[in-house]
Structure formats: structure tokens, C-alpha cells
Amino acid sequence: MRMCRMRKTACLGIVLTLVILTIYHRYTSVNPVISKGLKEESSISSQFKNAIQQFSAEERPATTFQEESESGPPEVTNGNPLNGSLNPDQSNHLANSSTAINIVVEDGLPLSDHHIKVEPDNYLARCSISKGIHHNGADLQVSDLVENLPFQSENTDHGQYNGNLKPLPTSEELTVFLVPHSHCDPGWKETYDHYYERDVKPLLTNMYQFTLEHEDFKYIYAEVSFFKLWWEEQTDKVRQDMARLAREGRFEFVQGGWVMNDEANTHYFAILNQMMDGHEWLKKNLPDAVPNVGWAIDPFGLSPFMAQVNSMFGFNAMHIQRVHYTIKKHLALNRKIEFRWRQSWDPDGDTDILTQLGPFGGYNSQSTCGPDPDICLHYHFAAFTNPKFGKDPNLVKTTPSNVKERSLKILDQWRKKAALHSSNAVFIETGFDFSYIYKESLEVIYSNYKPMMEYINSHPELNTRVKWGTISDYFDKIKKSNVNFPSLSGDFFTYADRLDEYWSGYYTTRPFFKNLDRVLESSIRRTEILFSFHREKGDVEKLTKARNTLSLFQHHDAITGTAKHHVVLDYARMLLNAFKTCIELSTSAVQHILETKRTIGEQFQPIRQRAGYEDLEKFRVLEAPVGLVITSTIPRKTDSAQIIAVKSHLNLEVESTGGGVVLQQIEPAIEYGTLDPNSEFIVFRTELPSVSINKFEVTSSEKDKEKDRANVQFYNPGEKAAEISSRDSFTVLSHDSACDDISLGGDRLALILDCRSGRVKRIKKEGTSVEIEQQVLLYKGRSGAYLFRPSGSPTLLFTESSRPEIVVIKGSLRDKAVVTLRILNSVLVLTYIVHHHPGLEGEFVDLNIMSNLRDSGDLSIRLKTDIKSGDTIFTDLNGHTIQQHKYKSKLHTQGNFFPMPSTAFIQDSSTRLSLLGSEPHGAASLAQGWIEVVIDRRTSQDDLRGLGEAIQDNIPTPAKLRILVEARSATPTISDLYVVEYPSLVSHWTLQSLLHPAFILSVNLDQRDPSASTLQLMKSLPCDEELVNLRYVNDTTSQLIRRKLGFSCAINTPVNCDYQDLSLEQLFAGNVVIVNHPFSALRTEEDTKTRDLKSMEFSSQYVTFDEKMSF
Ligand SMILES: [Zn+2]
């Protein structure tokens, strides 16, 4: 064999790969699309060519070695070998029987020595993280508190203490740290740049100079995005001074992220990105400032995922602030505001992190000194110098004559605060938003506190020591206190700061930009991955800038949608620039990898374009035969439909490079509910190997295309019906009111719509059927950017009597229905797609939504199902963990809406219905069987949280949801309250394919490119692992970040996964060196846990590519 003249190890790899593939092919059908070999003459550089050939062996029809695997694979039926309930013995049996295959390899070593095992299904054993773990052993469960505490606002004191708190007795020693800080929003009422110039620049200069001049003074700072701008304007002397202050512990960076990220809408990709951006900047510029403490004083509700992130970044503690006033007060009165925050999935508490919850309402000086804000105001010294603050009549300067009285009065507040702590120390944040822009403010604070500090410290009978400190000083102190802090599990959503004022509006506010955020995340991830595989750099600065833009947008007034209109437009401009940068860099990376500069020229162009920052991404209509270059960054073989738009009547078709048949369907070009009368969509099936670049061609064809043309049917015909009917391209059928239900899909999966109202009635899936009544609702009320405050019952906008125009397109690959609803003054388009293919796409229903709300209110889509879900909904946290929420009438409607960064589901003992979103939304289940998602919102008023604007800048906004119905077998539970749930594997894969669609470029066909039709850049990860990123580090090194999925044992995995157990090095073509590397660039210790990943963990390694390997 020609291939076996290669290096022995490479040859061995091929032999084994082919054996594996032989076995795999025995029980999977192979689409002709992928059954195409490599061509002999390749223009790829020789080192890579060998590697590619090795990789591409996977794609060959494997017949040669069939006789060598006589014993065959273990019996597998319907791709569902374990038939639901996992049996570990069975799993072992699979492994044992497969390794018994008699394989002769050239070097004579037994198979086990080569670390290649034929265990296509042993990953299923890993779902055990959700078996038997129903209680994570935490001392405190937030779900218990929600269950048992009284929440009715009329019955509570809104978290206030009203002078009722007793101070910590003087017999107990106390240490008080005064912690100067300044909370700086990178965009809110002013833009990021404006805030920098006006506020941040002077305040950082003041902080620096003052600290330098006062040896006992200290301060902390959080936002690297602002600090970077300041740093770039400083002299070497200032920079050296800052490094010294950091070394001496007088200046501390807390968190050290690019921003203080929102925790409700953000996805783990972007959170990690913003943390890594911040720490990498510090490493490069101020490596002496190593953050050790998390600091989240302003995000509007808090996610335990941040505790995991902080643990991953090597922090030893964290401080949080905005927690529902009822929960906060309960924890405070029980001296439980210091706790070890535990992940729901981690009963061993390996990832616990010491957390301190600020006990009072805010993080500003007037709220932090103690329980009585009226008294704290008497010490709000900044009001002497800042004209923005009204001066309290009791605010007086500290003088020798009043120092005793002033000292004892504030000490009383400090000791009352300390009474809420279980340790012997408190810290008092002294600062507020953009504080200390006046140098005199620091002077005045220092000079007024100093006499009181000296008074208290010189009176031993007060048993108190007061000093300036950093947050680390505080945690270092309490860690020495030998207090056994309790563990706590759960999330802090949905936040309320008073009355029934729940902050669940921002889960959906400005949905267009929440969608754009996810598009940019995927674009950056793709660009990073492609960048890693071509060694000819030069645009690293552009990539860094795009990363930084994504990081900036994770700020808690950016992705939340809670900035002023002109600030939103400033973010939008930056997001679009970053998106365009990614398109440019991805395109050039693909060109370089294919080495096509030489052979084809540079006519690579993305087939989707986005013109302005408030425009939708749209198809570029292809008007002549072209090549297509399709990049997949999913670390598994994906079987999916792609779409191109071509000019009508050109008789174009798609074929694989080399002329292979590609299944396709031609349909009217309707996207976002709008028909382009001059073009058509060609939908075609692809099977793309893991992380790969694939070539197809769009060619002119003489063949009769009628068989590929979809049929079109109209119900309640309107504008689109008239337009399509006027053309002769499609067979058109128009229905009158005496119609039958509309059924999309087939035997495996069907979506049933009512033919008159267009509402969803039912989803049928292989024996499971969910009855559905679909509603569209508008919640009117007094909502604002942050708050959702509905009043009365919502208005039903989509009822039995609705008669929207419905266009149904049915073809061999997929069925589609476009329902155009006219609601009040707006148009809402709901597009459903069901694929006929039995692979992953055959598992779910796509629901693409187009909204442009013109009336005030919160627009929600609700599915009322017959699932007996009780009072429970599950939603995700940051795309990573699943959190259970039970409906509570005591929380008001708005308190029962939760963030859905990507996933929400309801379930009973036999069925789960999941909604997976390509962007974040608010979600709720307000009654048994109901699940609803807020799509768009427009507010008639400001909600008095400082923004000062109503949200009325709605623009046409897309959203993509996937509806997944799955059969499940219920597992016994210890208590429903503590159930830890996981998505199914199929749900994970569905979401990944939604978030990371293939990237398609068109290529000029003037010169045919003779290179291989497929370049696989990376082999498949195990089926329960996700390629989070392959983040560019330098010209030879990238940071491989993986995530091990936690998934449900109770749900079958009906889709095969061609998993091979490979070492990390074997994932890549050519020689690579892989070493563990901490997530934080500032850490030097190796993260020893990461290489052998456990479920729900992330790992980080540096991959250094062989320099000689030129892609
Ligand atoms: Zn803020």
C-alpha cells in the first residue's frame, strides 16, 4: 500500500483508523456526499498533505480491512446501544468485546499499547454525574430559602434593618478594613470612551498619586478595559510606581476581567474570553497585580458559574452584592453571608470558593458603613467636594472636639455590620460610581477618617482595629479566623432590590444586540480556531481588538441592554467592526490554509453579509457557477443542511468537488419572513468532518430540476402568496378555510400546525406526542430597561381566531412554514423548519422568529403543553449548568421569570420539551405544562434605576429557538427540590450546531483548485466534550480549551457519534506538544486537574505546533 510507506506510527494510525471506520460503517449509513477520496495531486504543502491524508483516511469507504474484523462490532440497534437506561456492566462489555478484535499492526505491539480503543459508546458511562447525585451536600440551598421564606413585599421590610440590629459586643475583637474603590461602568449613561476621558482618567491618576503619597492608604480597582487606556498614557515612572504599589499590596486588582460581566445573559465562552483578555493584559503590562479575589458588586443577580470561573482562575475568594433583599437579609441575620459557594454538580466541594455577600442594599459609601443609611450619610465625606451629592446636614468634618462622638457613632455601625458576619472582620467599601475624580475627595476622606481611626485604635477598650485595606487583606484575615464557613448551593436569580421590583426585564432588553453578541462569539471562536492552523500571522492586533470588543460587551450595562440609546449605538458600531474583522480574518485564514493565493486568487467572499450595525445578516445572491468553501468548527462529524441563495432560473446545482451527488432542494427565498422574488434558496446536505474545510461547487446543470423543487402551499394567502404564485417556478396549492392540519416533517418527527390560525398544535416524535396550545402574549405594565413589571393579565395576540398568512414549503430535505402575524402595530413572523434527515437535524424543530415591536410591553411566546411538569422549569446558567426553578405565587409574575442564556426545559416522567436559544431571553413556566420565552420588549417608561430612559429603539430583530422533544425515563429522586438536571447529549449537540453554524465562502472558479475536497484540521473530540476555543497565543502556540459536558442518563442518545478515544496529541495533524496551562495568564502553577477532564469541568492546555508545519 502506498500509504504504508509513510512513518510507521502514521501508518499504524491509518490502519487502526480504517479498522475503526470499518466497524463504524457497519452500523451507520454513509451518505454519498462524504464518500469521496483524496485526489493524488494536491497543492497543499507536503507536511500538511501527509497529515491530511492520514486524517482523511476516515472519509474513505473502508472495505480493505473488513475481513480483519471478523468478530465485528458489538450488536447495536438503531444507534442506541444502551437503550436508555445505562448499565455500566454493559458498557464494560462493549469495551471488552471491541478490544478483542484481532488486529495485526506492523510493529507488533498489542493494541492496548496504542491508546486507540474501539469504544464508540463508552462515553455514555459518563452521564453518571447525574446518577445518584440529587443532593450536592451543601449546608445551604438557595432553593430551600426560596421555598420557605416569606416573599410578599407587603409583609417584608425590604431588607432594611430600621435600627433594630444589635452591634457585635465589644467583648469580641473586630478588625475593620476601609477599602477605597471606584465602580467604573465601561458604558452606561455615557460611552466607554467618554467615561474614560471625563471620569476614569482623572480618578485613576488621583488614586495613584494619593496612594503613592500616603503609605497607609490602599485602593482596589476592577476593570482592565479602562485601566488599559490610562496605562497607555502613563510614563515609565508611573508604571514602575504602580508595579511597586501592587507588589506592596497597596494597590490591588480585583477580578481583573476586561469588565465586570453581567451574569444572566452571558455565555461561558464570552465570560472566559473577557477574563482571559483582562488577565493577559495584566500579565503583559502589570504582572505584579495578580487578582486573587472575585469582585461583582453591580451585576443584577448572580450566577454560581462565576464561582466556578473564579476558582478556575485561581482566586481564593470572591465578593458579591446584588441578591434579593429577602434572601440577603435572611442570610445576614443568620450570619451566613460568608459561605463557600458550591457548584450544584460538585458534591465533593472541590470547586467551592469562599464568598462574602455584602449585607446591605448597595456598594456605595452611603450603604456600606452599616445597617442605617441615614447614619452612613453623615460620613459620606465625598459630598464635601463632589457637587453631585446633596450634603447631609449631619455631615461634618472630624475635629478634635467631635472625634470621640463621631468615632463611636460609626463604630456602632461597623459593629452592627460585623454582627451579621461569622468572622471577626468586616470591610467597608468607601467609594461609589466613578468616585474620586476630584483629588480633594481623597484628601477629604483620608483626613476625616484618619482621626477616627487613630481614636479607635488607641482605645483598647473598644477592642477594634481599623485600617485602610484591600479586599485581600479582609479575606486573609477571615481565613485565619478558624470559622467553618457553611457551603451554599444555588443561584441568585431573580434579583429584587425592593418591593415587587424584580429585575427580569433585562433578560430580554434590546434583543437584537443580545443576538449579535452570540453571532460575534461564534465568529471570534471560528477565527481563533482558523488562526491556529495557519502560521502566517500579521493581523493579531485586529484579532485582539475583536476579542476586546466582545469582552467589553459582556459588561453589566452592555449585553443587558441597559445603557442609554447613544451608548447602545456606540457598542453596536464596535460589535459590527469586530464582526467584520472576524469575517476578514477567517476568510484570509481559510485562503492561507488552502494555499489558494497561488492557485485561485483572492475572490473568497462570505455568502452572508451584514451591512450596518442595525442590519440583519443576509444572503449574497450567487449569480454564476462558483466554488463553495465550507468551514465547520464543530469537533465532531456534522450532518447538516446548508443554504445558499442563487438568482432564479439559472438552473444551478450544488455538487461536491469531484462531482459527487449532493442531495438538495430548491425553495422560494424567504428569510426573516421576507420573500426575495429574484432569488431562490438551494438547501443542500453536507457531512462535514470534525473541524474541517470542505469544498463544494455550484455548477450550471442541464438536468431537470423539477424533482428538487419544493412544493408551496398557501393558507390565508396574502402578499407572499401573490408574489410566489405569479412565478412559474414552484407548484403552488392554495387552501381555503376547509383545510386539514398542516404537518411538517415525517414519521420520525412531525410538527402539526392548525391550518387556519397557524398555531402549533402538536409535536410528534417516534411514539411521543406533545399536545400544544401556542400563544403569543403582550404583557403591559410599568416595565423599564431593568425591571419587568406587568400589570393585569397579558393580552393574547395569537388565538384560535387569528388568520395569519401561512406559506408552507415542502421538499425532500425539509419542510418549512412561514406564519406572518399582524399583531397590534407590528408584524411577527414565525418560521418553522423540520428536517427529514434522520441525523441530528431530524431531532428538533427550528423556530425562527422575526419581531419588531412597536407597542409598549413584553412580547412572549408561550407553549401550553400536556407535559405534567408540576411547578418546575429548568433554565441554564451561562450555557453551562442547569438550574431548577419552581413557580412561586409569592414571587409575583416577574419574580418567576429567569434568565435563559441558552436553554429552558420542562419535563415529566416520560417526556422533556426543551427550548434552545441562539441568544439569551427571559423564560418562565407560570403553570403546569407551560413554557414561555420573552422575545422582544419595549417600555413606556424609565424604571428609576438611574438610566433615565425608556427603551423604545426597537429594530427588526431575529431570534432562533430550537424545540426539542425527547422521551425520558424518570430517575428516582431524593427530593424534587434538590434535583440536579442536565441536558441530553443531543440537546448539547443541537445547541452547539445552533450557535456555531458552518462558515461558507464562495470562491471564483476561474482556476480549478486541484487540492483535496476536505481538509480536516482536528480530529473528533469525545462525544461529551466541547471545543470551547483554540485561542491564538502566538505564531506557534494556541490555547486549547475544552469543556466536558454533563448530560442526562434519563434520555436516550438516538444519534450516533463516531468517537475514538485519542490522546490530545493525536487530535492534531503533525507534531504538537501539549502542556497544561492555567486559564489565567497570571498563574504560573500547572493546573494538574485539567488534562483528565471530569464532567462539568473546563480544561486549558497550550498546544505548540511543529514550526515546520506550514498550513
Ligand atoms: Zn455598574
Side-chain angles (χ1 to χ4, degrees):
M1 274 182 66
R2 193 187 64 81
M3 279 188 300
C4 286
R5 286 196 295 271
M6 291 156 56
R7 282 187 298 128
K8 263 189 181 179
T9 48
C11 189
L12 171 69
I14 293 170
V15 171
L16 292 174
T17 304
L18 288 176
V19 172
I20 291 160
L21 205 75
T22 304
I23 294 165
Y24 178 68
H25 276 237
R26 281 216 178 163
Y27 54 92
T28 54
S29 62
V30 179
N31 187 309
V33 174
I34 60 154
S35 299
K36 51 191 186 293
L38 277 174
K39 294 189 177 180
E40 289 297 316
E41 297 82 22
S42 169
S43 67
I44 316 165
S45 59
S46 58
Q47 295 96 332
F48 188 44
K49 188 162 80 176
N50 287 345
I52 293 298
Q53 281 178 336
Q54 182 186 346
F55 269 45
S56 299
E58 248 183 86
E59 302 304 321
R60 294 165 191 272
T63 52
T64 322
F65 292 85
Q66 265 184 354
E67 60 280 8
E68 291 176 5
S69 56
E70 279 173 359
S71 59
E75 199 57 36
V76 179
T77 54
N78 296 330
N80 182 18
L82 302 183
N83 206 18
S85 59
L86 182 85
N87 178 341
D89 296 338
Q90 219 175 343
S91 179
N92 289 337
H93 170 72
L94 283 174
N96 293 339
S97 64
S98 56
T99 50
I101 298 166
N102 180 25
I103 300 172
V104 179
V105 292
E106 277 198 349
D107 60 7
L109 289 172
L111 180 66
S112 58
D113 287 0
H114 292 285
H115 195 52
I116 298 178
K117 289 173 279 185
V118 188
E119 295 177 286
D121 300 302
N122 73 347
Y123 63 87
L124 282 177
R126 295 177 190 151
C127 83
S128 57
I129 188 166
S130 62
K131 281 176 67 181
I133 302 171
H134 301 293
H135 192 301
N136 50 45
D139 305 316
L140 295 162
Q141 301 282 344
V142 177
S143 55
D144 281 343
L145 305 180
V146 175
E147 182 77 18
N148 298 321
L149 293 175
F151 277 84
Q152 291 91 338
S153 53
E154 57 272 24
N155 294 340
T156 73
D157 46 21
H158 316 307
Q160 300 301 310
Y161 294 89
N162 302 325
N164 293 329
L165 210 54
K166 286 205 172 92
L168 187 75
T170 314
S171 58
E172 292 196 39
E173 186 193 62
L174 176 67
T175 304
V176 178
F177 297 97
L178 298 179
V179 180
H181 79 113
S182 193
H183 177 67
C184 300
D185 294 311
W188 180 36
K189 294 198 277 194
E190 303 297 339
T191 64
Y192 165 58
D193 290 331
H194 187 117
Y195 270 143
Y196 172 69
E197 285 297 331
R198 192 187 72 182
D199 300 333
V200 179
K201 189 162 141 177
L203 76 86
L204 280 174
T205 300
N206 291 340
M207 291 284 232
Y208 150 73
Q209 285 175 347
F210 194 85
T211 311
L212 206 61
E213 292 160 8
H214 298 80
E215 279 200 2
D216 58 340
F217 190 77
K218 299 185 175 187
Y219 79 101
I220 64 170
Y221 195 72
E223 296 86 7
V224 171
S225 52
F226 275 138
F227 192 84
K228 164 189 181 285
L229 298 180
W230 181 77
W231 185 261
E232 286 168 352
E233 297 183 336
Q234 304 311 310
T235 61
D236 285 348
K237 157 86 171 59
V238 174
R239 295 178 180 184
Q240 285 157 13
D241 286 343
M242 285 300 296
R244 180 164 62 81
L245 291 177
R247 277 196 303 276
E248 293 173 0
R250 293 159 65 189
F251 162 67
E252 179 179 10
F253 240 107
V254 287
Q255 195 76 33
W258 202 250
V259 296
M260 185 185 297
N261 60 265
D262 167 48
E263 303 188 12
N265 302 288
T266 43
H267 187 270
Y268 58 79
F269 176 88
I271 294 174
L272 295 179
N273 188 71
Q274 82 93 6
M275 287 293 293
M276 291 165 83
D277 278 3
H279 283 218
E280 282 170 15
W281 187 91
L282 286 171
K283 170 74 177 177
K284 203 169 157 190
N285 297 283
L286 188 54
D288 292 304
V290 180
N292 287 308
V293 177
W295 181 257
I297 55 177
D298 202 20
F300 331 131
L302 297 148
S303 166
F305 178 63
M306 288 310 296
Q308 185 177 357
V309 170
N310 288 343
S311 179
M312 284 158 59
F313 276 73
F315 294 174
N316 52 44
M318 59 191 283
H319 168 62
I320 57 174
Q321 170 57 34
R322 289 191 185 266
V323 165
H324 191 294
Y325 57 84
T326 302
I327 293 175
K328 176 179 274 204
K329 188 171 179 185
H330 172 84
L331 290 173
L333 287 175
N334 289 279
R335 304 180 81 167
K336 299 270 169 60
I337 53 172
E338 302 127 310
F339 51 81
R340 289 174 291 122
W341 206 349
R342 176 161 298 181
Q343 300 302 315
S344 61
W345 46 266
D346 184 12
D348 300 330
D350 290 342
T351 56
D352 286 6
I353 183 164
L354 179 58
T355 305
Q356 194 271 354
L357 165 63
F360 307 128
Y363 54 81
N364 290 338
S365 290
Q366 56 268 45
S367 312
T368 55
C369 92
D372 303 311
D374 293 348
I375 294 177
C376 291
L377 273 178
H378 303 173
Y379 297 83
H380 192 29
F381 299 113
F384 282 126
T385 52
N386 192 329
K388 277 199 291 190
F389 301 119
K391 190 172 158 301
D392 190 281
N394 291 305
L395 172 64
V396 292
K397 288 190 173 158
T398 314
T399 62
S401 63
N402 70 13
V403 65
K404 179 181 178 186
E405 175 256 323
R406 298 277 292 163
S407 300
L408 294 180
K409 193 166 159 191
I410 198 164
L411 180 57
D412 180 62
Q413 287 295 306
W414 293 342
R415 282 200 162 260
K416 282 176 174 165
K417 184 173 187 174
L420 306 174
H421 291 63
S422 58
S423 59
N424 55 352
V426 290
F427 69 91
I428 312 294
E429 305 99 309
T430 51
F432 39 89
D433 289 7
F434 300 103
S435 50
Y436 309 121
I437 55 174
Y438 306 105
K439 190 168 186 193
E440 307 80 59
S441 306
L442 284 163
E443 283 288 353
V444 85
I445 281 178
Y446 185 84
S447 60
N448 281 288
Y449 270 119
K450 182 109 178 165
M452 293 189 287
M453 293 162 88
E454 286 170 351
Y455 178 86
I456 293 168
N457 291 340
S458 62
H459 285 77
E461 73 278 11
L462 298 176
N463 206 8
T464 303
R465 173 126 189 95
V466 196
K467 50 187 160 183
W468 301 105
T470 65
I471 192 75
S472 281
D473 292 337
Y474 162 77
F475 279 112
D476 288 348
K477 175 78 181 170
I478 71 167
K479 282 185 173 179
K480 289 179 194 148
S481 66
N482 293 325
V483 175
N484 188 15
F485 298 109
S487 53
L488 175 143
S489 175
D491 69 330
F492 294 111
F493 294 113
T494 283
Y495 169 64
D497 54 350
R498 60 185 185 226
L499 302 167
D500 57 351
E501 300 188 353
Y502 285 82
W503 297 42
S504 45
Y506 80 97
Y507 303 158
T508 312
T509 303
R510 268 121 174 189
F512 181 92
F513 297 104
K514 287 179 162 68
N515 175 277
L516 188 54
D517 168 82
R518 295 294 197 268
V519 172
L520 181 58
E521 284 179 33
S522 179
S523 303
I524 285 180
R525 175 181 173 276
R526 180 192 66 235
T527 306
E528 300 266 13
I529 291 170
L530 286 170
F531 237 62
S532 299
F533 289 103
H534 89 92
R535 302 283 118 200
E536 200 174 307
K537 301 304 185 301
D539 290 322
V540 177
E541 277 183 25
K542 281 187 179 174
L543 175 62
T544 306
K545 198 171 172 195
R547 283 176 183 169
N548 293 347
T549 296
L550 177 68
S551 295
L552 187 72
F553 198 65
Q554 307 314 306
H555 161 51
H556 56 266
D557 284 308
I559 191 171
T560 50
T562 55
K564 277 189 185 286
H565 176 68
H566 77 280
V567 179
V568 171
L569 295 186
D570 188 54
Y571 287 132
R573 182 184 50 77
M574 288 190 267
L575 290 174
L576 182 72
N577 286 341
F579 173 76
K580 287 191 164 172
T581 295
C582 289
I583 295 278
E584 179 196 325
L585 296 180
S586 293
T587 304
S588 93
V590 169
Q591 279 184 272
H592 277 93
I593 292 170
L594 293 176
E595 286 195 354
T596 48
K597 270 189 174 165
R598 194 176 62 229
T599 57
I600 290 186
E602 297 191 38
Q603 297 90 346
F604 282 60
Q605 282 191 60
I607 64 155
R608 305 265 294 162
Q609 292 175 329
R610 194 183 280 264
Y613 53 68
E614 293 189 324
D615 290 322
L616 299 165
E617 198 177 27
K618 289 188 173 157
F619 282 104
R620 187 165 50 81
V621 178
L622 305 176
E623 300 188 353
V626 287
L628 297 176
V629 176
I630 305 183
T631 300
S632 168
T633 58
I634 303 282
R636 276 182 312 285
K637 187 173 76 178
T638 53
D639 175 357
S640 56
Q642 312 297 340
I643 304 171
I644 54 171
V646 298
K647 199 171 177 191
S648 301
H649 302 299
L650 285 183
N651 220 29
L652 296 173
E653 71 172 2
V654 179
E655 57 182 44
S656 66
T657 299
V661 176
V662 175
L663 297 172
Q664 52 206 288
Q665 164 175 331
I666 303 170
E667 53 179 59
I670 305 177
E671 191 178 30
Y672 309 121
T674 305
L675 173 78
D676 176 1
N678 300 313
S679 68
E680 297 170 344
F681 283 165
I682 299 181
V683 183
F684 60 101
R685 289 219 68 82
T686 56
E687 287 203 19
L688 310 175
S690 154
V691 192
S692 60
I693 300 173
N694 306 270
K695 294 180 193 168
F696 291 80
E697 288 179 10
V698 181
T699 59
S700 280
S701 169
E702 298 305 312
K703 282 185 281 182
D704 177 17
K705 287 290 184 312
E706 278 316 301
K707 69 173 177 47
D708 293 336
R709 288 193 171 273
N711 294 321
V712 184
Q713 302 179 37
F714 300 118
Y715 301 80
N716 312 321
E719 286 169 11
K720 281 192 276 292
E723 187 68 59
I724 297 173
S725 300
S726 68
R727 298 150 66 191
D728 54 4
S729 308
F730 297 97
T731 304
V732 170
L733 181 64
S734 201
H735 295 268
D736 57 24
S737 58
C739 52
D740 295 328
D741 285 346
I742 301 165
S743 177
L744 308 183
D747 293 341
R748 165 140 185 80
L749 173 67
L751 173 75
I752 313 298
L753 303 176
D754 180 75
C755 69
R756 284 172 289 272
S757 70
R759 295 195 306 162
V760 174
K761 290 175 75 174
R762 191 176 304 118
I763 295 175
K764 291 196 294 185
K765 189 170 180 191
E766 285 202 330
T768 306
S769 180
V770 178
E771 297 296 316
I772 296 173
E773 182 192 335
Q774 183 185 23
Q775 295 180 330
V776 173
L777 317 149
L778 190 69
Y779 290 91
K780 305 291 279 185
R782 298 173 298 122
S783 297
Y786 306 90
L787 305 182
F788 176 36
R789 279 194 292 181
S791 44
S793 299
T795 312
L796 285 181
L797 299 174
F798 193 18
T799 64
E800 209 173 339
S801 59
S802 299
R803 292 293 178 269
E805 182 184 31
I806 308 167
V807 180
V808 176
I809 297 166
K810 290 196 163 196
S812 57
L813 294 187
R814 66 178 198 171
D815 296 346
K816 175 174 172 178
V818 183
V819 179
T820 306
L821 267 171
R822 299 192 183 280
I823 50 169
L824 304 175
N825 298 306
S826 335
V827 174
L828 177 71
V829 185
L830 306 174
T831 301
Y832 303 90
I833 297 168
V834 182
H835 290 266
H836 293 298
H837 198 271
L840 182 62
E841 284 190 337
E843 293 295 312
F844 54 79
V845 173
D846 264 320
L847 167 54
N848 298 340
I849 301 162
M850 194 64 216
S851 72
N852 187 8
L853 197 58
R854 311 315 301 166
D855 303 276
S856 293
D858 283 69
L859 184 72
S860 165
I861 292 182
R862 178 187 289 167
L863 304 179
K864 293 167 77 171
T865 75
D866 60 351
I867 294 173
K868 295 180 180 55
S869 56
D871 52 5
T872 304
I873 185 172
F874 298 88
T875 55
D876 71 311
L877 294 164
N878 312 104
H880 184 52
T881 44
I882 295 294
Q883 184 69 44
Q884 178 188 204
H885 301 285
K886 288 180 175 291
Y887 176 81
K888 294 276 175 279
S889 57
K890 65 184 177 183
L891 294 182
H892 299 269
T893 300
Q894 55 269 40
N896 283 291
F897 276 75
F898 298 99
M900 173 195 154
S902 70
T903 302
F905 58 81
I906 54 172
Q907 64 186 19
D908 60 21
S909 59
S910 62
T911 308
R912 175 184 291 183
L913 184 144
S914 307
L915 296 177
L916 309 172
S918 66
E919 58 286 303
H921 298 271
S925 175
L926 301 179
Q928 169 160 287
W930 297 12
I931 184 167
E932 69 180 276
V933 170
V934 185
I935 298 304
D936 204 351
R937 64 197 310 264
R938 188 179 180 93
T939 74
S940 57
Q941 62 188 75
D942 176 56
D943 50 10
L944 304 177
R945 293 305 185 278
L947 180 63
E949 279 186 6
I951 305 298
Q952 300 187 324
D953 51 6
N954 301 60
I955 50 177
T957 297
K960 285 188 177 180
L961 296 176
R962 284 185 168 166
I963 311 172
L964 185 62
V965 169
E966 297 173 291
R968 74 185 284 270
S969 50
T971 47
T973 58
I974 294 171
S975 161
D976 277 343
L977 266 184
Y978 305 128
V979 166
V980 179
E981 269 295 1
Y982 298 87
S984 67
L985 265 185
V986 165
S987 176
H988 281 299
W989 299 341
T990 300
L991 184 61
Q992 286 170 29
S993 68
L994 176 64
L995 293 176
H996 305 302
F999 176 61
I1000 309 182
L1001 296 163
S1002 72
V1003 190
N1004 193 311
L1005 269 184
D1006 285 351
Q1007 286 176 283
R1008 298 252 162 183
D1009 175 16
S1011 65
S1013 57
T1014 290
L1015 294 186
Q1016 192 177 359
L1017 304 174
M1018 209 181 139
K1019 282 194 175 179
S1020 299
L1021 287 177
C1023 305
D1024 61 344
E1025 277 186 24
E1026 188 186 333
L1027 176 60
V1028 176
N1029 205 352
L1030 194 56
R1031 181 180 165 101
Y1032 173 83
V1033 175
N1034 60 41
D1035 282 1
T1036 57
T1037 304
S1038 289
Q1039 192 166 4
L1040 171 66
I1041 303 173
R1042 293 172 297 142
R1043 169 178 173 244
K1044 184 71 93 181
L1045 308 173
F1047 60 95
S1048 173
C1049 285
I1051 296 176
N1052 297 348
T1053 305
V1055 178
N1056 270 327
C1057 175
D1058 57 344
Y1059 161 60
Q1060 301 163 48
D1061 195 1
L1062 302 174
S1063 70
L1064 284 183
E1065 285 77 5
Q1066 288 169 305
L1067 291 173
F1068 299 93
N1071 295 323
V1072 294
V1073 176
I1074 299 183
V1075 294
N1076 289 342
H1077 192 278
F1079 285 93
S1080 167
L1082 292 156
R1083 307 276 159 202
T1084 50
E1085 74 274 24
E1086 282 211 339
D1087 185 347
T1088 50
K1089 283 196 298 188
T1090 55
R1091 193 157 174 125
D1092 192 18
L1093 262 182
K1094 286 194 290 192
S1095 291
M1096 302 305 289
E1097 286 182 351
F1098 291 78
S1099 73
S1100 161
Q1101 278 94 27
Y1102 268 9
V1103 181
T1104 300
F1105 295 87
D1106 188 333
E1107 271 185 51
K1108 283 180 290 186
M1109 195 165 68
S1110 170
F1111 286 62

